[in-house]
Amino acid sequence: MIRTGMPTLIILVLLFVLGFCGCAVVGPRSITAGRGVYSEVINRTEDEQILNVIVRMRYNETFAMMSVASVTSNLSFTTSTGMQLGFGDDKDYAGNLIPFSAGVAFEENPTISYVPLSGEDFMRRMLSPVSPKEWFLLGGQTRHPAKVFSLAVRRVNGLRNYLPGEESPSSEFSHFVELYDRLRRAGVLEVVTSPETKTGENQYFFDIHDYKDVQSDSVHELLSLLDIEVKLDGSTILLPIRLEPGRSVSAVHVQTRSAWEVLQAFGAGIEIPPSHIQAGIADPLTFAVPDERNFITIRSSEKRPDNATVRVRFRDWWFYIDATDTQSKRTFMFLRTFIGMRLADPGVAQRAPVLTVPVK
């Protein structure tokens, strides 16, 4: 009885140990293996979606956007045991049998839910001008505030910025951006804000200070371009920034771009294949984009590019951002942040239909 009971006891103990260890390790391991993979795929497809939108807008074609609402992963576990026994003369099977075997296996079945970005609220977020608060929050995190400013505004005190499909920009606008960049880098011009008002809005100002000995000429040029009349005696100059058209002699009137117009501005950096221009599939730009307004370079190739940080296939061509183009990669990263901030809506998941796709 003792000899026959011992193998059964050993089997039960081993099964208990395997099951306990399996439960202890599979959870953490599944997070380690799964979370990084899901994050990488979601990040890559988000990049591809935004690049696809830019390309399709440049070709005047419709587009759709979807947001990943949730990723739910179910794990199923199976255990197996085996025992091999021999009968007869042990010389016939000695060394060829596995007395006992056991195993634990698990299978992962993810379910991904998508929320289509559409409807009136989505179009309002795409077409309405971006607030100064959003632009200055983004501009404060970049090493090139002038590029953010030139991307953000359509007009400043009547000076027209570049935008595809509209009238030619004012020649003075480029010079204003140069002066703005110079003074921001020198720490002479800063964007400051007042405490929130009763409506919950902030008032923003150009704060120009410490300019008398070094940057007085640049400050004088900047204010002259804006037609602002201020006595330059070395004291601090506070100019309120207002979302209004036209000019002012005591404030900075700006008209900001919408998310739609920002994507249009990025589309000007696409290298359209000549055959598409000749065939009338895409319209040529009416005039050359100034270098300071060429925010990004999106290359095109008939062959699949290997060294690309993001790429999409459209009309049998590949459109991509080269992995060695640091400026374009940095600009695209800024665009990802901007689009995420502009289009994010915590309540959209409750209002929009959800598409749930089981992945096998």
Side-chain angles (χ1 to χ4, degrees), residues 297-316:
T297 299
I298 300 174
R299 306 184 186 279
S300 59
S301 172
E302 288 187 282
K303 297 182 179 179
R304 185 179 188 274
D306 295 326
N307 195 29
T309 187
V310 54
R311 53 180 168 244
V312 293
R313 182 86 167 160
F314 180 75
R315 287 192 171 273
D316 297 327

Side-chain angles (χ1 to χ4, degrees), residues 77-258:
F77 296 86
T78 57
T79 60
S80 62
T81 60
M83 179 180 293
Q84 296 180 349
L85 302 175
F87 298 91
D89 191 349
D90 59 358
K91 294 181 180 180
D92 297 332
Y93 53 80
N96 297 320
L97 296 181
I98 301 176
F100 169 76
S101 62
V104 178
F106 73 94
E107 180 183 8
E108 186 175 10
N109 299 300
T111 300
I112 302 175
S113 298
Y114 298 93
V115 177
L117 300 178
S118 59
E120 180 182 350
D121 187 66
F122 171 71
M123 292 309 298
R124 178 182 60 81
R125 289 171 175 269
M126 285 289 290
L127 298 177
S128 60
V130 182
S131 70
K133 179 178 181 179
E134 292 173 295
W135 281 122
F136 292 131
L137 281 175
L138 288 169
Q141 306 303 317
T142 179
R143 294 181 296 175
H144 303 282
K147 279 200 173 282
V148 176
F149 187 87
S150 60
L151 180 65
V153 302
R154 301 183 63 185
R155 290 177 176 84
V156 52
N157 269 25
L159 302 179
R160 294 187 307 275
N161 191 5
Y162 162 80
L163 186 67
E166 291 195 354
E167 56 186 325
S168 301
S170 304
S171 57
E172 298 91 346
F173 188 89
S174 295
H175 188 39
F176 167 80
V177 171
E178 292 174 5
L179 293 169
Y180 176 86
D181 187 66
R182 184 186 308 165
L183 295 175
R184 285 296 303 269
R185 288 174 177 272
V188 171
L189 190 157
E190 295 179 299
V191 178
V192 298
T193 180
S194 65
E196 291 186 356
T197 62
K198 293 181 179 180
T199 61
E201 298 179 354
N202 296 89
Q203 174 68 58
Y204 288 87
F205 299 85
F206 275 1
D207 184 345
I208 304 175
H209 55 85
D210 299 327
Y211 57 86
K212 186 174 182 180
D213 297 329
V214 182
Q215 301 289 348
S216 59
D217 290 341
S218 296
V219 171
H220 175 73
E221 286 185 75
L222 181 97
L223 298 178
S224 297
L225 288 172
L226 297 177
D227 282 343
I228 292 178
E229 300 174 358
V230 177
K231 183 178 180 180
L232 300 180
D233 57 3
S235 59
T236 299
I237 303 171
L238 280 178
L239 300 174
I241 302 172
R242 298 172 182 162
L243 281 178
E244 296 181 15
R247 293 178 176 269
S248 171
V249 296
S250 59
V252 181
H253 286 189
V254 298
Q255 293 176 275
T256 60
R257 283 173 166 165
S258 64

